Amino acid sequence: MSADSAPINLTNHFLIAMPGLSDELFGRSVVYMCEHSDRGALGLVINKPSDILLPRLFEKVDLPLGRADLMQAPVFQGGPVQTERGFVLHDAIEAGAEGESVYASTMTIPGGLEMTTSKDVLEAMASGAGPRRVFVTLGYASWGKGQLESEITENSWLTVEADPELIFDTPVEQRYEKAMGLLGLQPWMLSPDAGHA
């Protein structure tokens, strides 16, 4: 395999929907990529809030929300797969004594954050603890083997290395433009019509 045909790895990157992508969920979306390998890809849409706030989600799992800082935080639509299941994206937590994750089911994202799917992270938040910065979604986005690469070739997505500040500290309505800004672009600069020479 030559160097120029090496597979791309978009783990810890943002996928930014091209302005011409008119899909209801993915139009104007920014996706944080949690995993990308030759088997496929998994990510969370970071700029599509649902109409559910975190306290309501905690009620549904019979937990109080013990964090005043999260009382007005929306639950996001992370993608079309497993929309009844919660995903918590958060800052990396110091590992336990054996080097294992603090939570039962956590994916450590190389160079980035952690994503936890087990209820114990919610239990920590219920007691007023847990990760300092959290982003909660219902559902996730996934692509099969070669599917994401194909969509990128078809000019559906732009890619840029992820910036956690955009996920945790940028107002939702500014995330798409700010993600474009990481590439030095504004949405109006890009025509929805891809040109091929």
Side-chain angles (χ1 to χ4, degrees), residues 16-21 26 148 150-158:
I16 307 164
M18 286 289 282
L21 188 64
F26 290 114
L148 179 58
S150 173
E151 289 181 15
I152 290 170
T153 303
E154 294 163 3
N155 291 323
S156 294
W157 301 100
L158 294 168

Side-chain angles (χ1 to χ4, degrees), residues 137-195:
T137 75
L138 289 174
Y140 66 93
S142 71
W143 292 263
K145 180 177 183 160
Q147 185 182 2
L148 179 58
E149 292 81 351
S150 173
E151 289 181 15
I152 290 170
T153 303
E154 294 163 3
N155 291 323
S156 294
W157 301 100
L158 294 168
T159 63
V160 66
E161 191 169 331
D163 177 357
E165 304 304 311
L166 201 125
I167 301 168
F168 298 115
D169 301 325
T170 302
V172 175
E173 63 278 0
Q174 296 174 20
R175 290 179 186 169
Y176 184 74
E177 281 76 13
K178 293 250 187 195
M180 284 275 192
L182 293 173
L183 290 166
L185 298 171
Q186 294 297 320
W188 60 264
M189 295 173 164
L190 301 169
S191 165
D193 305 313

Side-chain angles (χ1 to χ4, degrees), residues 95-148:
E98 306 298 312
E100 76 276 358
S101 174
V102 174
Y103 303 114
S105 182
T106 296
M107 171 192 294
T108 299
I109 300 159
L113 306 168
E114 291 182 342
M115 182 186 64
T116 299
T117 56
S118 48
K119 189 176 177 182
D120 51 359
V121 70
L122 299 180
E123 290 166 348
M125 291 161 64
S127 71
R132 185 177 71 79
R133 299 191 304 180
V134 296
F135 175 85
V136 180
T137 75
L138 289 174
Y140 66 93
S142 71
W143 292 263
K145 180 177 183 160
Q147 185 182 2
L148 179 58

Side-chain angles (χ1 to χ4, degrees), residues 50-135:
S50 71
D51 53 7
I52 301 170
L53 294 180
L54 268 183
R56 178 79 185 103
L57 179 70
F58 274 69
E59 271 175 38
K60 286 184 175 190
V61 293
D62 297 321
L63 288 171
L65 178 55
R67 297 264 304 265
D69 60 319
L70 299 175
M71 288 302 180
Q72 294 302 312
V75 175
F76 285 77
Q77 300 171 51
V81 183
Q82 292 191 356
T83 54
E84 71 296 330
R85 187 165 176 207
F87 297 83
V88 181
L89 192 62
H90 56 83
D91 289 315
I93 303 281
E94 283 295 315
E98 306 298 312
E100 76 276 358
S101 174
V102 174
Y103 303 114
S105 182
T106 296
M107 171 192 294
T108 299
I109 300 159
L113 306 168
E114 291 182 342
M115 182 186 64
T116 299
T117 56
S118 48
K119 189 176 177 182
D120 51 359
V121 70
L122 299 180
E123 290 166 348
M125 291 161 64
S127 71
R132 185 177 71 79
R133 299 191 304 180
V134 296
F135 175 85

